[in-house]
Amino acid sequence: MECHTIMAYTALYRVYRPQTFQDVVGQEHVTTTLRNALREGRLSHAYLFNGPRGTGKTSAAKIMAKAVNCEQPQDGEPCNQCPTCRAITDGSVTDVLEIDAASNRGVEEIRDIRDKVRFAPSDVRYKVYIIDEVHMLTTEAFNALLKTLEEPPSHVIFILATTEPHKLPATIISRCQRFDFHRIPLKEMVKRLTYICEAQGVRVEPQALHLVAKMAEGGMRDALSLLDQAISYSKDEVRAADIMQITGTVSQGHFSVLAKYVAERDVSRVMEHFDRVMVQGKDPEQFLQDLLYYYRDMLLFKTAPQLEEIVERTMLDDQFAQVAGMYALPDVYAAIEICNQALAQLKWSTYARVLVELTLVKLCQPVKEAAAAPEAAAAGGAELAALANRVRTLEERLAQLMQGQAHVSAQPRTEEPRRAETRRPAAAARSSRTPMNKVREVAKAVDEALTRQVRGQWSQILADVKKIKIQYQAWLVNGQPAAAGRDAVVVTFTSPIHCEKTMEPELKGVVERVMLGVLGRPLQLLSVMEEEWQSVSQQAGQEEQPAQEEQDPFVAEAIRLVGEGLIEVKE
């Protein structure tokens, strides 16, 4: 009976994890400083390593732990040969502890560390605590860690690692030496990937390595994971097509052909080409994102062709240069803007492919700004001419007044009713969303006790609205509850914009739900301008007094025809 043994495979990013500072790629500004400090014995009690994922923060922390405890250090580097270095590499030294703050974020875990740091190390010279993703700690845990960082024992070194340093309290950061890890440059990453492929005996296309490095976006761990997957997928040689296949991206050749058809405004060929890409099983959102990067790289190529390093995902070959020559800069700007808007809409769309097809059709349409410019200029010229005429007329009238030639007649007296007449409809138009008959009902039957309750709890209502959406509270905060009736609350405003906005159905519904929760009874929100409410409340007060004039049929008919606000009855 044969027994087949399957050897355990170790991922590339674990096999080629840096063991010395010299192996850390693209972080010379960090490794040089640390090596100099180790060589001169200028060690700090706490370090903060921050930067993007996969750039060597945790690896540098482990190298640091070996270097401070190495029995035979060599120019600030661990020897990796002594028993201490080997034990730390194997993870068998209990005095070098790596903690994941994402899963050990509570105050109890940090208190346990605080209690144990007082004891001297048993196997090595320094106790080293590496706290990864330290920004995940709770506020209480940070407070417990703070005292230990402020006055640590001489035999303890803390190394904090995080991808989001802005989430750390300033009191923690100020007690650490901070080192910023950068994204690994493209050339450095390709050089490292080439070395690993040669060490593994893997044949790989140079273009494939460039594509892996660009898709990793500065993270060596991501690049090694993608390369590991590509090696497993390919047979004899890793090709760029293999990378595109396993990541679901579209080749640059497809985008160059598509961009050529877009520049020619050939919608039918654009849609045919897009359909061929979709038949291959590509994701529409990934396709649109890659198309956005293609146009972004085209913009950089046209404006700064010498900066090849900042090109994200495009190879600057002859085909790309030829297609870029078919585009003017306004066309590239418009294409980037259209793709960006479509990506934002794609998050809320159920039909991703339809939205991408709509975007491609938009790209084929000519830029309309140039055509719309003459019309806009003509409209702007007409408005300027009208304004100039009005200014000229006002200047002439002002000159006549200054010279005493203007004759002031009794016209203002006759115009005053007209002004009063126009003022009220304008106010009414501004609050057209509010049913004024409902406002009059509240004015006639004000519930004083409920009004006092609303005013007393208005701040609580505003606070609850702010919890739902701060913009709603900003629109409502300028209002003042004037009166409450049986089933409605009148809120007055001095700004017509705020008055109008608070009566929009969505915002009004939120406020009414909050009032129901705070006051315990359903009330309708009625937003009106302050002068409107004063007029309505005065009329309600007059109607409560017995008035024989209202019994006059002529007055009643006049009110029916033109409304109460425009009728004034004199003795």
Side-chain angles (χ1 to χ4, degrees), residues 112-127:
D112 183 60
I113 295 174
R114 185 186 62 186
D115 295 338
K116 291 180 179 179
V117 294
R118 297 196 298 264
F119 302 108
S122 57
D123 301 324
V124 293
R125 190 181 306 130
Y126 287 96
K127 274 189 172 184

Side-chain angles (χ1 to χ4, degrees), residues 80-134:
N80 288 316
Q81 301 297 326
C82 65
T84 301
C85 286
R86 292 181 177 180
I88 294 176
T89 303
D90 296 339
S92 58
V93 177
T94 58
D95 293 319
V96 176
L97 186 63
E98 183 177 357
I99 302 168
D100 180 20
S103 54
N104 300 278
R105 60 194 304 260
V107 66
E108 295 299 330
E109 290 85 350
I110 302 302
R111 283 175 180 168
D112 183 60
I113 295 174
R114 185 186 62 186
D115 295 338
K116 291 180 179 179
V117 294
R118 297 196 298 264
F119 302 108
S122 57
D123 301 324
V124 293
R125 190 181 306 130
Y126 287 96
K127 274 189 172 184
V128 181
Y129 289 92
I130 302 172
I131 305 179
D132 199 11
E133 301 298 335
V134 69

Side-chain angles (χ1 to χ4, degrees), residues 466-541:
K466 184 178 180 180
K467 292 177 183 178
I468 297 175
K469 195 170 185 179
I470 192 171
Q471 289 88 343
Y472 290 169
Q473 187 257 0
W475 288 113
L476 188 65
V477 72
N478 291 325
Q480 294 294 330
R486 180 172 52 86
D487 58 353
V489 173
V490 176
V491 179
T492 59
F493 292 84
T494 56
S495 167
I497 298 176
H498 290 76
C499 180
E500 184 79 10
K501 192 72 177 179
T502 52
M503 289 304 291
E504 290 185 355
E506 185 176 354
L507 197 158
K508 182 173 179 288
V510 169
V511 176
E512 289 174 352
R513 289 197 301 272
V514 169
M515 288 195 297
L516 174 62
V518 174
L519 302 173
R521 58 187 296 178
L523 293 173
Q524 182 181 358
L525 174 65
L526 301 174
S527 299
V528 295
M529 296 296 292
E530 190 172 329
E531 59 267 22
E532 283 184 304
W533 171 248
Q534 292 175 357
S535 175
V536 171
S537 59
Q538 288 175 3
Q539 291 176 11

